[in-house]
Amino acid sequence: MLPYIDYPFEYAGSFLGTSVDELKLITSFLLSYPLAGLLKRIPDARPAYKNLFIVGVSLFYLVGLFDMWTGLQTLLIAAGGAYAIATFIDGPFMPWVAFASLMGHLAINHIARQAANTPTVVDVTGAQMVMVMKFFFPSLFAGPAFDYVEYQRWIETTMFDVPPGTDPTMKPRTRKQRKIPRSGTPATLKAITGLLWILAFLKFSSWFSTELVLSDQYLQYGLLRRVWILHMFGFTARLKYYGVWALTEGACILSGLGYKGVDPKTGRVQWDRLQNVAPWPLETAQNTRAYLENWNMNTNNWLRNYMYLRVTPKGKKPGFRASMATFVTSAFWHGFYPGYYLTFVLASFLQTIAKTSARLTYAQYQFPSPDASMRGVQVEKAGAPFTIVDGISKPTPAADQILVKSIVASINPIDTVQQAYGILVVSWPIVLGCDAGGVVVEVGKDAGSSFKVGDEVCGCTRLGTPGHSTLQEYFLMDAPIAMPKPKNISIAQASTLGVGTYLVKSLGADATFDYKLSDDEQFQTISSITSGKFPGIFDAIGKAIALSVRALDESSLSSTKHFTTTDSTTPMPTASGVKTNRILLGPIGRGPEAIAGQPTLNKDLESYIKFLVPLVESGKLRPNEVEVVGTTGFEGALEAIQTQQKGASAGAKIAVKLQDP
């Protein structure tokens, strides 16, 4: 510890009636703001310097401010042990060995802290609890936690990339060539909010204290007054966490880590990537699930992804056992005070009882159940990973729609573009996926002339629209542009009809080539096949703008040259004599307000489908080759997404079987 550093805290504590360590903790939260400002000013091209700065500040907090040399040793053992386990243990048991080791090490320190019984002294267990999840100096002692992949994207500044072709007016403002957007204002607002919560905590603590609840006077009050005091006592305890988490989140925002992208509707930068609590939704929650989801949100995400879904057998939905295992893990992570176990075990029972009661009650009175939910692969926000989640609302078809059970989903490159940048995403969190084959399970009142329950269908759904995404158990399709599955192909082959078809020679195609070759190899192939005798190119996959314009400009001998692409964002290169056009596929199925400039898009698609199905059934039009990868279920969907991202499909479309018909 730095010499004499305790003196100002002892002096202030004597007036405020607080301990030295409590004042130091608040000081570390506030000091993180100017330090985060300095961190952001380290050049983007120097990530190593940023890492050194973060480590240096963390060391100052641990040993310069708190004199926790033993605590530093504890964190180094935890970090080194986790790294060694991940490096040297290969196989399916590695995550469990790491989990048991880290949680066991944390448990030893929890027991030591409980035995010491010094609640006003800051020790290392708080930092170790955060480190069991993730680690960063503004959130060292109290969170929020986040995935390493987010930290890596932040320090490499890829988190702040904007999609090619983005309107310059929609790009976030930056300073001095930095990619990290200006974040001083939202960070300041978050700091002010945190301080107000803490002031409220100090005031309310004088009215609703532990001493009052445990006093004989409390027992003399009437029942309603005792309930009111107990409720306000809990609210007062939560105020402290609202304040602390707001302060730490604000420092993370100032450093840039809170960046969540730009709202496509308002053009405003969103800074709630690391939000850890939502006070208003929590205080006004209508059920236990909503209450729990808005409290300690990042820890909830960690428990859901690394416990709740891990203990659920593949192909099964999580049930009571998964819920109980998750809540008990949360209690164990917090420590060994009996209150933790009473609280979390009871919460598991309450959540299960509430879910079952709602389902039975609504079924009894034939109301649409609020618990009509399903499983899917969801993305929390732009740049966040694909994760398997439960509790997604099962959609209900409108008059001209059908509800489809998703059997096989094809992975479209646009899925990962939307996941990374949020293009054409209506709202977050979102389930992605736009191409699939499935079975109709419900028909809207005006769609009965086209489809009936049990029909097999395929096609492309609305991009980035809740309820329409295919990487979930059930999804909506607009009946006029849904395609009956051709009788001569499998449901897996049909799932690729949404991402393109393959013209065979019987329809007039003279030759084909692999679009995954390098641009130079494709250019040579086009030149060899055509000898320059082609007037235009249609880029159906939206990945060949530069190649296509180059081929028309340098190889085509036609007097008129036309190029059309489905890529609506990449800047269009200019070439003399080449006329260019874009087809906007994003508004498929959406209303006129979403398809300005292409008002006939959906009508055109409806007319094409009438010709497309007979062509496929006659063999004149053949679907893309399809490779079904991974295991059946949503775990397999994650494998399929990874395969598509790696480009390891040898020219075939990647698909995954999600469930049986």
Side-chain angles (χ1 to χ4, degrees), residues 384-430:
F386 289 95
T387 56
I388 301 171
V389 299
D390 292 283
I392 301 169
S393 297
K394 185 178 178 180
T396 301
D400 61 345
Q401 293 178 334
I402 55 177
L403 183 65
V404 180
K405 183 178 182 180
S406 188
I407 307 302
V408 177
S410 285
I411 309 301
N412 192 315
I414 190 61
D415 299 337
T416 52
V417 174
Q418 289 185 287
Q419 175 255 342
Y421 300 111
I423 295 175
L424 296 172
V425 171
V426 174
S427 62
W428 300 97
I430 188 70

Side-chain angles (χ1 to χ4, degrees), residues 18 22 25-26 29 113 119-120 142 193-205 210 232-248 276-277 279 283 295 340:
T18 58
E22 287 173 333
L25 191 61
I26 296 296
F29 297 152
R113 173 176 173 77
T120 61
T193 302
L195 290 173
L196 290 176
W197 283 124
I198 289 176
L199 290 174
F201 166 72
L202 295 174
K203 185 63 177 177
F204 276 71
S205 294
T210 305
M232 292 304 298
F233 177 70
F235 173 70
T236 301
R238 292 192 295 276
L239 290 174
K240 175 176 64 176
Y241 292 94
Y242 295 165
V244 167
W245 282 333
L247 285 176
T248 57
N276 209 32
V277 66
E283 297 295 340
W295 173 263
Y340 291 138

Side-chain angles (χ1 to χ4, degrees), residues 289 304-319 322 355 371-379 387-395 404-407 409 430-432 467 469-475 631-638 657-659:
R289 178 178 171 181
R304 181 186 65 193
N305 292 330
Y306 298 104
M307 175 53 65
Y308 186 67
L309 297 176
R310 291 281 181 94
V311 300
T312 302
K314 288 187 176 182
K316 302 290 185 180
K317 286 188 175 182
K355 183 187 296 185
D371 193 44
S373 60
M374 56 184 179
R375 203 174 198 199
V377 177
Q378 184 172 276
V379 178
T387 56
I388 301 171
V389 299
D390 292 283
I392 301 169
S393 297
K394 185 178 178 180
V404 180
K405 183 178 182 180
S406 188
I407 307 302
I430 188 70
V431 175
L432 294 174
S469 303
T470 59
L471 290 175
Q472 57 190 21
E473 291 182 84
Y474 300 92
F475 64 91
T631 56
T632 297
F634 292 94
E635 294 80 6
L638 297 181
K657 183 177 180 182
L658 297 176
Q659 54 191 329

Side-chain angles (χ1 to χ4, degrees), residues 89-98 310 314:
I89 298 179
D90 189 17
F93 295 107
M94 185 277 290
W96 294 104
V97 173
R310 291 281 181 94
K314 288 187 176 182

Side-chain angles (χ1 to χ4, degrees), residues 27-274:
T27 300
S28 73
F29 297 152
L30 297 175
L31 189 58
S32 291
Y33 281 80
L35 292 172
L38 291 174
L39 173 62
K40 189 166 67 172
R41 282 158 176 78
I42 296 175
D44 293 342
R46 304 287 186 182
Y49 292 180
K50 292 186 178 184
N51 283 324
L52 288 173
F53 184 88
I54 292 166
V55 172
V57 172
S58 301
L59 289 173
F60 164 70
Y61 284 172
L62 288 167
V63 299
L65 190 61
F66 284 100
D67 199 26
M68 288 197 293
W69 288 99
T70 304
L72 174 61
Q73 179 183 351
T74 296
L75 296 183
L76 290 175
I77 291 172
Y83 183 83
I85 290 169
T87 302
F88 298 110
I89 298 179
D90 189 17
F93 295 107
M94 185 277 290
W96 294 104
V97 173
F99 180 82
S101 300
L102 291 171
M103 292 291 278
H105 187 208
L106 175 61
I108 293 171
N109 289 293
H110 272 316
I111 293 171
R113 173 176 173 77
Q114 190 167 337
N117 194 27
T118 52
T120 61
V121 175
V122 174
D123 76 335
V124 79
T125 54
Q128 191 178 2
M129 289 170 69
V130 175
M131 196 173 185
V132 164
M133 297 181 292
K134 320 292 171 207
F135 176 80
F136 183 56
F137 81 81
S139 56
L140 174 61
F141 292 113
F146 46 88
D147 286 326
Y148 175 76
V149 66
E150 293 183 303
Y151 176 81
Q152 184 177 26
R153 293 181 64 237
W154 167 76
I155 205 162
E156 294 174 350
T157 67
T158 57
M159 177 184 287
F160 312 104
D161 290 343
V162 293
T166 298
D167 184 345
T169 62
M170 299 287 282
K171 293 182 179 179
R173 293 183 298 169
T174 61
R175 288 183 184 272
K176 299 179 180 179
Q177 306 302 314
R178 287 196 300 266
K179 291 180 68 175
I180 300 177
R182 297 167 63 177
S183 55
T185 299
T188 301
L189 292 175
K190 188 64 70 171
I192 293 172
T193 302
L195 290 173
L196 290 176
W197 283 124
I198 289 176
L199 290 174
F201 166 72
L202 295 174
K203 185 63 177 177
F204 276 71
S205 294
S206 64
W207 298 334
F208 305 99
S209 63
T210 305
E211 291 75 16
L212 172 61
V213 174
L214 297 179
S215 68
D216 293 334
Q217 179 187 1
Y218 175 73
L219 297 176
Q220 304 305 314
Y221 294 139
L223 176 62
L224 293 179
R225 186 172 181 182
R226 278 183 286 156
V227 170
W228 167 252
I229 291 173
L230 198 60
H231 168 74
M232 292 304 298
F233 177 70
F235 173 70
T236 301
R238 292 192 295 276
L239 290 174
K240 175 176 64 176
Y241 292 94
Y242 295 165
V244 167
W245 282 333
L247 285 176
T248 57
E249 183 190 350
C252 290
I253 289 173
L254 190 59
S255 72
L257 252 171
Y259 179 76
K260 191 182 173 181
V262 179
D263 188 319
K265 295 181 180 179
T266 65
R268 298 183 62 181
V269 177
Q270 298 171 303
W271 289 103
D272 56 348
R273 177 185 291 273
L274 299 182

